[in-house]
Amino acid sequence: MASAADPIPASNLPPFPHHSLTVATIDLSALAHNLVQIRRRLSPSCDILAVVKADAYGHGAVGISQALVRSGINRLGVATIDEGLALREAGVRVSVLVMGAVLPNQLPDLMAHQLTPVIHDPSIAARFAELAQSRPEPYPVHVKVDTGMGRLGLRPEEVLPMLQSPSFKGPLRAEGLMTHLADADNQNPEFTMAQLTRFRSVVGQLAAAGLSLPLLHVANSAAIFRHPSAHFSLVRPGIMLYGYSPIPVIESPPDLRPVLSLTTQVVQVRALAPGESVSYNRAFVATRSSRIAVLPIGYADGYNRSLSNRGHVLIHGCEARIVGRVCMDMTMVDVTDIPSVMPGDEAVLIGRQGSRQISAADLAAWLETIPYEILCAIGPRAPRVYR
Ligand SMILES: Cc1ncc(COP(=O)(O)O)c(C=O)c1O
Protein backbone atom coordinates (compact mmCIF):
# COMPACT_ATOMS: atom_id res chain seq x y z
CA MET A 1 0.00 0.00 0.00
CA ALA A 2 1.26 3.50 -0.88
CA SER A 3 2.23 5.65 2.11
CA ALA A 4 2.15 9.47 2.32
CA ALA A 5 5.96 9.46 2.16
CA ASP A 6 6.07 7.71 -1.25
CA PRO A 7 6.96 9.90 -4.23
CA ILE A 8 3.91 10.94 -6.26
CA PRO A 9 3.91 9.28 -9.69
CA ALA A 10 4.35 12.04 -12.29
CA SER A 11 1.21 10.96 -14.14
CA ASN A 12 -0.94 11.78 -11.04
CA LEU A 13 0.02 15.46 -11.10
CA PRO A 14 -2.37 17.97 -12.67
CA PRO A 15 -0.95 20.76 -14.85
CA PHE A 16 0.74 23.61 -12.98
CA PRO A 17 -1.23 26.86 -13.15
CA HIS A 18 0.03 29.91 -11.25
CA HIS A 19 -1.27 30.27 -7.71
CA SER A 20 0.78 33.28 -6.72
CA LEU A 21 -1.19 35.88 -4.80
CA THR A 22 1.61 38.35 -5.55
CA VAL A 23 1.63 39.55 -9.13
CA ALA A 24 3.70 42.06 -11.09
CA THR A 25 1.43 43.63 -13.69
CA ILE A 26 3.22 45.12 -16.66
CA ASP A 27 1.38 47.91 -18.46
CA LEU A 28 2.52 47.74 -22.08
CA SER A 29 0.68 50.94 -22.99
CA ALA A 30 2.85 52.77 -20.43
CA LEU A 31 5.92 51.22 -22.06
CA ALA A 32 4.75 52.47 -25.48
CA HIS A 33 4.10 55.92 -24.00
CA ASN A 34 7.61 56.09 -22.52
CA LEU A 35 9.11 55.03 -25.83
CA VAL A 36 7.30 57.93 -27.54
CA GLN A 37 8.74 60.31 -24.91
CA ILE A 38 12.24 59.07 -25.72
CA ARG A 39 11.76 59.21 -29.49
CA ARG A 40 10.53 62.81 -29.23
CA ARG A 41 13.91 63.85 -27.87
CA LEU A 42 15.96 62.28 -30.65
CA SER A 43 16.86 63.53 -34.11
CA PRO A 44 15.57 61.35 -36.99
CA SER A 45 19.06 59.94 -37.55
CA CYS A 46 19.36 58.67 -33.97
CA ASP A 47 18.10 55.15 -33.24
CA ILE A 48 17.28 53.41 -29.94
CA LEU A 49 19.02 50.41 -28.42
CA ALA A 50 16.58 49.42 -25.67
CA VAL A 51 18.28 48.15 -22.52
CA VAL A 52 16.52 44.97 -21.33
CA LYS A 53 19.24 43.56 -19.08
CA ALA A 54 18.44 42.24 -15.60
CA ASP A 55 15.18 40.76 -16.89
CA ALA A 56 14.25 44.17 -18.31
CA TYR A 57 14.81 45.80 -14.90
CA GLY A 58 12.51 43.20 -13.34
CA HIS A 59 9.72 43.61 -15.90
CA GLY A 60 10.39 40.33 -17.74
CA ALA A 61 12.87 40.57 -20.62
CA VAL A 62 10.97 38.37 -23.06
CA GLY A 63 7.58 40.11 -22.69
CA ILE A 64 9.17 43.56 -22.75
CA SER A 65 11.44 42.77 -25.71
CA GLN A 66 8.58 41.34 -27.74
CA ALA A 67 6.51 44.47 -27.05
CA LEU A 68 9.44 46.74 -27.95
CA VAL A 69 10.05 44.87 -31.21
CA ARG A 70 6.35 45.29 -32.06
CA SER A 71 6.87 49.05 -31.47
CA GLY A 72 9.68 49.15 -34.02
CA ILE A 73 12.74 48.62 -31.81
CA ASN A 74 15.35 46.53 -33.61
CA ARG A 75 18.25 46.74 -31.17
CA LEU A 76 18.28 45.37 -27.63
CA GLY A 77 21.00 45.45 -24.98
CA VAL A 78 21.57 42.79 -22.32
CA ALA A 79 24.35 42.29 -19.78
CA THR A 80 25.12 38.59 -20.16
CA ILE A 81 25.16 35.87 -22.79
CA ASP A 82 22.49 33.93 -20.92
CA GLU A 83 20.18 36.95 -21.07
CA GLY A 84 20.77 37.06 -24.82
CA LEU A 85 20.17 33.32 -25.21
CA ALA A 86 16.87 33.60 -23.32
CA LEU A 87 15.71 36.16 -25.88
CA ARG A 88 16.80 33.99 -28.80
CA GLU A 89 15.07 30.97 -27.25
CA ALA A 90 11.85 33.01 -27.08
CA GLY A 91 12.14 33.81 -30.78
CA VAL A 92 13.50 37.37 -30.52
CA ARG A 93 15.47 37.82 -33.75
CA VAL A 94 16.58 41.47 -33.67
CA SER A 95 20.14 42.56 -32.93
CA VAL A 96 21.13 41.82 -29.31
CA LEU A 97 24.21 43.53 -27.88
CA VAL A 98 25.82 41.78 -24.89
CA MET A 99 27.09 44.84 -23.03
CA GLY A 100 28.81 43.08 -20.14
CA ALA A 101 32.20 41.43 -20.23
CA VAL A 102 32.51 38.25 -22.30
CA LEU A 103 35.42 35.88 -21.76
CA PRO A 104 36.91 33.76 -24.56
CA ASN A 105 35.36 30.44 -23.45
CA GLN A 106 31.89 32.01 -23.83
CA LEU A 107 32.40 33.16 -27.39
CA PRO A 108 31.35 30.02 -29.34
CA ASP A 109 27.83 30.12 -27.80
CA LEU A 110 27.59 33.83 -28.40
CA MET A 111 28.42 33.37 -32.10
CA ALA A 112 26.14 30.35 -32.48
CA HIS A 113 23.19 32.53 -31.44
CA GLN A 114 24.26 35.63 -33.34
CA LEU A 115 24.64 37.82 -30.30
CA THR A 116 26.87 40.87 -30.68
CA PRO A 117 29.66 41.18 -28.13
CA VAL A 118 31.25 44.29 -26.74
CA ILE A 119 35.02 44.07 -26.91
CA HIS A 120 36.42 45.61 -23.75
CA ASP A 121 40.01 44.39 -23.98
CA PRO A 122 42.40 43.93 -26.95
CA SER A 123 43.33 40.41 -25.82
CA ILE A 124 39.69 39.31 -26.14
CA ALA A 125 39.59 40.68 -29.68
CA ALA A 126 42.59 38.54 -30.68
CA ARG A 127 41.04 35.38 -29.22
CA PHE A 128 37.67 36.16 -30.73
CA ALA A 129 39.27 36.74 -34.14
CA GLU A 130 40.83 33.25 -34.00
CA LEU A 131 37.39 31.73 -33.34
CA ALA A 132 35.70 33.80 -36.05
CA GLN A 133 38.37 33.12 -38.68
CA SER A 134 36.55 30.27 -40.40
CA ARG A 135 33.30 32.22 -40.85
CA PRO A 136 32.38 33.37 -44.35
CA GLU A 137 31.61 36.93 -43.16
CA PRO A 138 33.42 39.10 -40.60
CA TYR A 139 31.65 38.89 -37.22
CA PRO A 140 30.19 42.23 -36.05
CA VAL A 141 31.38 43.54 -32.68
CA HIS A 142 31.13 46.78 -30.72
CA VAL A 143 34.15 48.28 -29.01
CA LYS A 144 33.91 49.87 -25.59
CA VAL A 145 36.21 52.72 -24.72
CA ASP A 146 36.50 53.84 -21.10
CA THR A 147 36.32 57.62 -21.09
CA GLY A 148 35.93 58.00 -17.33
CA MET A 149 33.57 55.38 -15.93
CA GLY A 150 36.60 53.50 -14.61
CA ARG A 151 34.94 50.16 -15.11
CA LEU A 152 35.07 48.25 -18.39
CA GLY A 153 36.68 49.19 -21.67
CA LEU A 154 39.81 49.99 -23.64
CA ARG A 155 41.82 53.06 -22.84
CA PRO A 156 41.29 55.73 -25.52
CA GLU A 157 44.83 55.23 -26.87
CA GLU A 158 44.26 51.46 -27.28
CA VAL A 159 41.32 51.72 -29.69
CA LEU A 160 43.05 52.66 -32.94
CA PRO A 161 45.88 50.09 -32.62
CA MET A 162 43.34 47.36 -31.91
CA LEU A 163 41.18 48.32 -34.89
CA GLN A 164 44.30 48.34 -37.11
CA SER A 165 45.36 44.89 -35.90
CA PRO A 166 44.90 41.72 -38.05
CA SER A 167 41.84 40.78 -35.93
CA PHE A 168 39.89 43.54 -37.70
CA LYS A 169 41.27 42.78 -41.16
CA GLY A 170 39.00 39.83 -41.90
CA PRO A 171 37.60 37.91 -38.90
CA LEU A 172 35.96 40.83 -37.06
CA ARG A 173 34.05 43.91 -38.16
CA ALA A 174 33.80 46.87 -35.78
CA GLU A 175 30.16 47.86 -36.12
CA GLY A 176 29.99 50.19 -33.14
CA LEU A 177 32.01 52.27 -30.71
CA MET A 178 30.53 52.98 -27.30
CA THR A 179 31.31 54.47 -23.95
CA HIS A 180 29.33 54.74 -20.71
CA LEU A 181 28.78 57.96 -18.78
CA ALA A 182 29.55 58.03 -15.08
CA ASP A 183 27.85 61.25 -14.07
CA ALA A 184 25.16 62.14 -16.60
CA ASP A 185 22.54 62.60 -13.86
CA ASN A 186 24.63 65.31 -12.17
CA GLN A 187 23.36 68.85 -12.59
CA ASN A 188 26.99 69.86 -13.10
CA PRO A 189 27.82 68.70 -16.67
CA GLU A 190 31.59 69.10 -16.33
CA PHE A 191 32.57 65.42 -16.07
CA THR A 192 30.12 64.35 -18.80
CA MET A 193 31.55 66.99 -21.13
CA ALA A 194 35.07 65.72 -20.43
CA GLN A 195 33.94 62.15 -21.24
CA LEU A 196 32.31 63.34 -24.48
CA THR A 197 35.49 65.18 -25.47
CA ARG A 198 37.53 61.99 -24.94
CA PHE A 199 35.00 59.96 -26.94
CA ARG A 200 35.00 62.45 -29.81
CA SER A 201 38.77 62.48 -29.81
CA VAL A 202 38.84 58.68 -30.30
CA VAL A 203 36.27 59.01 -33.12
CA GLY A 204 38.50 61.74 -34.66
CA GLN A 205 41.60 59.52 -34.48
CA LEU A 206 39.74 56.70 -36.21
CA ALA A 207 38.44 59.05 -38.91
CA ALA A 208 41.95 60.38 -39.51
CA ALA A 209 43.09 56.79 -40.04
CA GLY A 210 40.25 56.21 -42.52
CA LEU A 211 38.07 54.18 -40.12
CA SER A 212 34.45 55.11 -39.60
CA LEU A 213 32.24 52.92 -37.44
CA PRO A 214 28.56 53.00 -38.37
CA LEU A 215 27.22 53.07 -34.80
CA LEU A 216 28.41 55.45 -32.10
CA HIS A 217 26.59 55.28 -28.77
CA VAL A 218 27.01 56.89 -25.40
CA ALA A 219 23.76 58.10 -23.87
CA ASN A 220 21.88 56.39 -21.05
CA SER A 221 18.53 57.78 -19.89
CA ALA A 222 20.05 60.73 -18.02
CA ALA A 223 22.08 61.80 -21.05
CA ILE A 224 19.06 61.41 -23.34
CA PHE A 225 17.45 64.14 -21.23
CA ARG A 226 20.34 66.27 -20.23
CA HIS A 227 22.84 66.04 -23.06
CA PRO A 228 21.58 66.08 -26.66
CA SER A 229 25.23 66.35 -27.74
CA ALA A 230 25.67 62.79 -26.42
CA HIS A 231 23.02 61.28 -28.69
CA PHE A 232 25.28 60.29 -31.66
CA SER A 233 23.76 57.52 -33.83
CA LEU A 234 22.22 55.38 -31.05
CA VAL A 235 21.03 55.96 -27.49
CA ARG A 236 20.72 53.28 -24.80
CA PRO A 237 17.73 54.03 -22.56
CA GLY A 238 16.96 51.73 -19.65
CA ILE A 239 15.15 53.20 -16.66
CA MET A 240 13.13 55.73 -18.70
CA LEU A 241 11.54 52.94 -20.69
CA TYR A 242 10.20 51.57 -17.45
CA GLY A 243 8.75 54.92 -16.42
CA TYR A 244 11.25 56.44 -14.03
CA SER A 245 13.32 59.56 -14.32
CA PRO A 246 17.04 58.89 -14.04
CA ILE A 247 17.42 62.25 -12.37
CA PRO A 248 15.94 62.25 -8.86
CA VAL A 249 15.22 65.98 -8.64
CA ILE A 250 14.58 67.65 -11.95
CA GLU A 251 13.21 71.04 -12.88
CA SER A 252 10.83 69.83 -15.61
CA PRO A 253 10.33 66.09 -15.05
CA PRO A 254 9.80 64.01 -18.16
CA ASP A 255 6.28 62.71 -18.76
CA LEU A 256 6.90 59.05 -17.95
CA ARG A 257 4.50 56.37 -16.71
CA PRO A 258 5.59 53.56 -14.40
CA VAL A 259 5.17 50.29 -16.26
CA LEU A 260 5.16 47.88 -13.31
CA SER A 261 2.65 47.48 -10.49
CA LEU A 262 3.22 45.01 -7.68
CA THR A 263 0.18 43.74 -5.84
CA THR A 264 -0.66 40.98 -3.42
CA GLN A 265 -3.66 39.90 -1.33
CA VAL A 266 -4.30 39.95 2.38
CA VAL A 267 -4.17 36.35 3.67
CA GLN A 268 -5.13 36.90 7.30
CA VAL A 269 -6.29 39.71 9.60
CA ARG A 270 -5.29 39.36 13.25
CA ALA A 271 -6.40 41.22 16.36
CA LEU A 272 -3.57 42.37 18.58
CA ALA A 273 -3.94 43.47 22.19
CA PRO A 274 -1.72 46.25 23.59
CA GLY A 275 1.66 44.73 24.48
CA GLU A 276 1.45 41.93 21.90
CA SER A 277 4.11 41.92 19.21
CA VAL A 278 4.52 41.16 15.51
CA SER A 279 7.19 39.05 13.76
CA TYR A 280 10.83 38.31 14.53
CA ASN A 281 12.57 39.98 17.45
CA ARG A 282 9.30 41.69 18.47
CA ALA A 283 10.38 44.77 16.54
CA PHE A 284 6.79 46.04 16.68
CA VAL A 285 4.78 45.98 19.93
CA ALA A 286 1.17 47.19 19.81
CA THR A 287 0.44 50.21 21.99
CA ARG A 288 -3.31 50.00 21.31
CA SER A 289 -5.80 47.34 20.29
CA SER A 290 -4.75 46.77 16.68
CA ARG A 291 -5.65 44.85 13.58
CA ILE A 292 -2.76 43.49 11.57
CA ALA A 293 -3.03 42.21 8.00
CA VAL A 294 -0.61 39.51 6.86
CA LEU A 295 0.66 39.83 3.26
CA PRO A 296 2.27 36.90 1.42
CA ILE A 297 5.33 38.79 0.18
CA GLY A 298 8.76 39.06 1.76
CA TYR A 299 12.40 39.67 1.15
CA ALA A 300 12.63 36.51 -0.98
CA ASP A 301 10.37 38.38 -3.41
CA GLY A 302 12.61 41.43 -3.34
CA TYR A 303 10.54 43.25 -0.71
CA ASN A 304 13.55 44.47 1.18
CA ARG A 305 13.96 43.54 4.85
CA SER A 306 14.98 47.13 5.58
CA LEU A 307 11.32 48.03 5.05
CA SER A 308 10.70 46.57 8.53
CA ASN A 309 8.71 49.21 10.46
CA ARG A 310 9.23 51.58 7.52
CA GLY A 311 6.98 52.55 4.61
CA HIS A 312 3.47 51.46 3.76
CA VAL A 313 1.25 49.62 1.27
CA LEU A 314 -2.20 50.61 -0.01
CA ILE A 315 -5.33 48.73 1.07
CA HIS A 316 -8.85 50.04 0.30
CA GLY A 317 -7.13 53.15 -1.06
CA CYS A 318 -5.56 53.92 2.36
CA GLU A 319 -1.99 53.74 3.61
CA ALA A 320 -1.32 50.67 5.76
CA ARG A 321 1.97 51.02 7.65
CA ILE A 322 4.46 48.13 7.60
CA VAL A 323 4.90 46.80 11.15
CA GLY A 324 7.55 44.48 12.51
CA ARG A 325 10.28 42.70 10.59
CA VAL A 326 9.69 41.88 6.94
CA CYS A 327 10.15 38.08 6.75
CA MET A 328 11.30 35.90 3.86
CA ASP A 329 7.75 35.25 2.64
CA MET A 330 5.50 37.53 4.68
CA THR A 331 5.05 41.15 5.63
CA MET A 332 2.61 42.55 8.19
CA VAL A 333 0.78 45.90 7.93
CA ASP A 334 -1.34 47.84 10.40
CA VAL A 335 -4.97 48.07 9.23
CA THR A 336 -6.45 49.24 12.54
CA ASP A 337 -7.70 52.47 10.95
CA ILE A 338 -8.89 50.90 7.69
CA PRO A 339 -12.40 49.49 8.10
CA SER A 340 -13.36 45.91 7.24
CA VAL A 341 -10.13 44.60 5.73
CA MET A 342 -10.60 40.92 4.86
CA PRO A 343 -8.52 38.05 3.50
CA GLY A 344 -8.48 38.34 -0.29
CA ASP A 345 -8.39 42.15 -0.32
CA GLU A 346 -5.84 43.65 -2.69
CA ALA A 347 -2.72 45.26 -1.25
CA VAL A 348 -0.70 47.49 -3.57
CA LEU A 349 3.04 47.58 -2.92
CA ILE A 350 3.93 49.47 -6.09
CA GLY A 351 1.21 51.12 -8.13
CA ARG A 352 -2.03 53.00 -7.80
CA GLN A 353 -5.11 52.29 -5.70
CA GLY A 354 -7.91 54.83 -5.53
CA SER A 355 -6.37 58.29 -5.42
CA ARG A 356 -3.08 57.13 -3.90
CA GLN A 357 0.05 55.82 -5.52
CA ILE A 358 3.29 54.21 -4.40
CA SER A 359 6.11 54.28 -6.93
CA ALA A 360 9.41 52.43 -7.01
CA ALA A 361 10.90 55.88 -6.40
CA ASP A 362 8.99 56.06 -3.06
CA LEU A 363 10.35 52.66 -2.02
CA ALA A 364 13.80 53.80 -3.13
CA ALA A 365 13.50 56.90 -0.92
CA TRP A 366 12.41 54.80 2.09
CA LEU A 367 15.36 52.49 1.51
CA GLU A 368 17.90 55.16 0.53
CA THR A 369 18.55 53.58 -2.84
CA ILE A 370 17.52 54.10 -6.47
CA PRO A 371 14.38 52.86 -8.30
CA TYR A 372 16.62 50.63 -10.44
CA GLU A 373 17.44 48.45 -7.44
CA ILE A 374 13.81 48.23 -6.29
CA LEU A 375 12.62 47.07 -9.73
CA CYS A 376 15.47 44.64 -10.41
CA ALA A 377 15.01 43.02 -7.00
CA ILE A 378 11.44 41.84 -7.64
CA GLY A 379 11.84 38.10 -7.57
CA PRO A 380 10.71 35.33 -9.91
CA ARG A 381 7.92 34.12 -7.60
CA ALA A 382 5.72 37.00 -8.75
CA PRO A 383 4.43 36.15 -12.22
CA ARG A 384 4.72 39.01 -14.73
CA VAL A 385 1.29 39.59 -16.22
CA TYR A 386 1.23 41.77 -19.37
CA ARG A 387 -1.71 43.93 -20.29
C1 LIG B 1 26.21 50.19 -20.76
C2 LIG B 1 24.87 50.68 -20.34
N1 LIG B 1 24.16 51.46 -21.17
C3 LIG B 1 22.94 51.92 -20.84
C4 LIG B 1 22.37 51.63 -19.62
C5 LIG B 1 21.00 52.18 -19.29
O1 LIG B 1 21.06 53.09 -18.23
P1 LIG B 1 19.74 53.82 -17.70
O2 LIG B 1 18.90 52.76 -17.12
O3 LIG B 1 20.24 54.78 -16.68
O4 LIG B 1 19.11 54.46 -18.89
C6 LIG B 1 23.07 50.84 -18.72
C7 LIG B 1 22.52 50.55 -17.40
O5 LIG B 1 23.12 50.54 -16.39
C8 LIG B 1 24.36 50.35 -19.08
O6 LIG B 1 25.08 49.58 -18.26
Side-chain angles (χ1 to χ4, degrees), residues 51 53 57 99 151 178 180 220-221 236-239 372:
V51 177
K53 63 182 177 155
Y57 292 36
M99 301 190 298
R151 199 171 66 172
M178 66 185 284
H180 195 42
N220 55 4
S221 295
R236 304 190 305 264
I239 196 75
Y372 299 69

Side-chain angles (χ1 to χ4, degrees), residues 57 301-302 304 307 350 359-365 367 369-378:
Y57 292 36
D301 303 292
N304 197 298
L307 289 165
I350 298 175
S359 73
D362 294 322
L363 277 135
L367 290 166
T369 182
I370 50 178
Y372 299 69
E373 190 180 3
I374 303 295
L375 295 169
C376 291
I378 298 170

Side-chain angles (χ1 to χ4, degrees), residues 98-169:
V98 179
M99 301 190 298
V102 173
L103 294 180
N105 61 338
Q106 300 176 296
L107 290 169
D109 261 357
L110 177 141
M111 282 195 284
H113 293 90
Q114 293 177 42
L115 304 172
T116 309
V118 171
I119 302 291
H120 63 276
D121 187 300
S123 67
I124 301 278
R127 181 75 189 104
F128 195 9
E130 278 170 35
L131 291 165
Q133 216 148 28
S134 55
R135 299 179 72 91
E137 299 286 329
Y139 200 88
V141 303
H142 289 215
V143 175
K144 184 165 198 175
V145 53
D146 180 12
T147 55
M149 181 71 179
R151 199 171 66 172
L152 209 57
L154 281 78
R155 295 192 160 279
E157 63 276 15
E158 290 177 317
V159 178
L160 180 58
M162 184 182 81
L163 291 183
Q164 289 178 325
S165 73
S167 303
F168 286 86
K169 302 225 160 73

Side-chain angles (χ1 to χ4, degrees), residues 42 51 53 79 104 131 183 190 263 274 280 318 327 339 369 386:
L42 306 178
V51 177
K53 63 182 177 155
L131 291 165
D183 208 22
E190 203 175 314
T263 56
Y280 292 115
C318 305
C327 310
T369 182
Y386 298 87

